[in-house]
Amino acid sequence: MTNNVKAEVKVGVHPNNHSLFVLRRTGILESILKKLGTEVTWVDYEDGARTPQRLAAGEIDFGGTGATPPLTGQASGINLVYVAVSEPRPASGALVVLTDSPVNAITDLKGRRVALSEGSWQTSFLASALEESNLQYKDVERVNLSVRGDEALVAGEVDAWIGNDPHLAALQRKGVVRTIVPVNPYISHRSVWFASRSFATNKPEILDAIVKALQRSDLWLKENPREAAELFARDLPNWPSVDSWEAALRRRPWGLQPVTQEFVLEQQRVADLLARQGLLPRTIKVEDAVLSPTAALGGRTL
């Protein structure tokens, strides 16, 4: 009797990883996996910072976030491995205040309220920028808002907000905020894709298929920003407008890159900083979580 049971891969999806959010809606991965006798289960959730915990629990095999969650995951003993990164995305985030705010520099924020998504890339950014000005993470009052930090800023509930697209693009288009600290040069603000070590080492052909599918989907995003913006606006009705989405999508790079030594060194610098300030439970060696590039990358870019 023929066994018709197919293999399964579980991929995590949340709105802040735009590449995976679109891939989930294209059918590209399903088409590639069909040839490998494998099916994908999409696991939708909101809090991208907890992606490593979902890996550890076996809820997903593969996910994507900013650069901080894999650091906290590795420091917590989660056996994850880096798969790929994006190019730097300096325009897609910033520390902003309202245009009429008395705050003009990060030193003015000592003791003030800053909205951010704790545990995301924003933690690394804020800690790095504060240290540059001889301040500690604890010197500002953080208000943990994984969503709608923009509304808190506009309502005067916080003094500053670490903005992320498309919400940042929306406020910038309205002309109601100004940047006091840009992302660059503190962090490169890359997207990062990672997997459980067991999945990456035991099913390299499936991992390769996911990367290949993401490359194709990102190419479509790059070439069709308006259509992609309409897709986001349709499925996230409480988020910014189509025009804000399009502005956000047009100003970010697309495509997956191999994990480079430059990226590893940046991650190590941030990991050491977070450990010094007690934001990681222990020091880590980032390169312990790096594998060879998957075949689908092959050194190619979009």
Side-chain angles (χ1 to χ4, degrees):
M1 186 166 70
T2 303
N3 186 352
N4 292 319
V5 177
K6 291 187 175 182
E8 176 194 37
V9 59
K10 295 169 287 188
V11 178
V13 182
H14 59 90
N16 284 316
N17 188 280
H18 301 339
S19 295
L20 284 168
F21 190 84
V22 169
L23 180 64
R24 194 231 193 283
R25 289 156 174 80
T26 63
I28 294 173
L29 181 57
E30 287 85 346
S31 177
I32 295 175
L33 290 178
K34 185 176 181 180
K35 301 173 184 177
L36 299 174
T38 302
E39 294 180 342
V40 59
T41 295
W42 300 100
V43 180
D44 296 288
Y45 53 96
E46 296 295 323
D47 187 2
R50 292 193 58 78
T51 298
Q53 286 73 25
R54 292 181 181 274
L55 283 177
E59 297 174 14
I60 62 174
D61 301 305
F62 180 94
T65 65
T68 305
L71 293 178
T72 57
Q74 187 181 356
S76 299
I78 296 173
N79 203 1
L80 57 83
V81 291
Y82 292 92
V83 174
V85 299
S86 74
E87 292 181 1
R89 301 175 296 148
S92 297
L95 178 57
V96 299
V97 297
L98 295 177
T99 52
D100 60 354
S101 170
V103 174
N104 293 303
I106 193 168
T107 50
D108 296 333
L109 288 174
K110 186 173 182 179
R112 294 180 183 262
R113 293 165 61 84
V114 179
L116 76 160
S117 177
E118 294 271 19
S120 73
W121 66 270
Q122 299 172 10
T123 291
S124 295
F125 170 44
L126 182 59
S128 297
L130 286 169
E131 185 181 62
E132 184 74 13
S133 295
N134 297 315
L135 294 172
Q136 297 285 307
Y137 196 68
K138 63 183 180 182
D139 287 334
V140 299
E141 183 181 346
R142 283 108 44 218
V143 180
N144 185 21
L145 295 173
S146 58
V147 294
R148 312 320 293 177
D150 54 335
E151 292 183 349
L153 178 65
V154 172
E157 297 169 3
V158 296
D159 300 290
W161 168 56
I162 300 182
N164 197 37
D165 277 342
H167 301 86
L168 176 61
L171 289 191
Q172 289 173 330
R173 291 180 70 248
K174 294 176 181 177
V176 299
V177 296
R178 56 184 170 84
T179 297
I180 61 166
V181 184
V183 165
N184 187 43
Y186 301 105
I187 61 170
S188 59
H189 190 21
R190 301 174 191 260
S191 285
V192 180
W193 292 271
F194 49 97
S196 68
R197 185 179 295 273
S198 61
F199 169 69
T201 55
N202 294 329
K203 297 182 179 179
E205 73 286 354
I206 305 301
L207 180 63
D208 185 66
I210 296 172
V211 172
K212 187 180 298 183
L214 277 167
Q215 290 286 57
R216 292 182 186 176
S217 182
D218 264 24
L219 180 59
W220 178 83
L221 268 163
K222 180 180 181 181
E223 295 177 346
N224 301 278
R226 183 66 182 185
E227 190 174 347
E230 291 170 349
L231 184 155
F232 278 102
R234 180 199 72 193
D235 289 355
L236 297 169
N238 295 322
W239 286 47
S241 67
V242 172
D243 289 341
S244 294
W245 270 112
E246 184 178 4
L249 298 177
R250 284 185 179 277
R251 70 181 184 183
R252 64 188 293 149
W254 297 103
L256 279 67
Q257 313 290 325
V259 176
T260 63
Q261 185 63 19
E262 176 188 13
F263 171 75
V264 172
L265 289 174
E266 178 185 342
Q267 284 290 85
Q268 190 64 59
R269 176 187 63 78
V270 173
D272 292 344
L273 165 62
L274 298 183
R276 283 198 307 272
Q277 296 204 15
L279 302 173
L280 289 183
R282 64 183 178 92
T283 58
I284 59 172
K285 191 175 181 181
V286 173
E287 65 180 7
D288 289 343
V290 178
L291 292 183
S292 299
T294 67
L297 289 176
R300 297 190 301 273
T301 60
L302 291 181

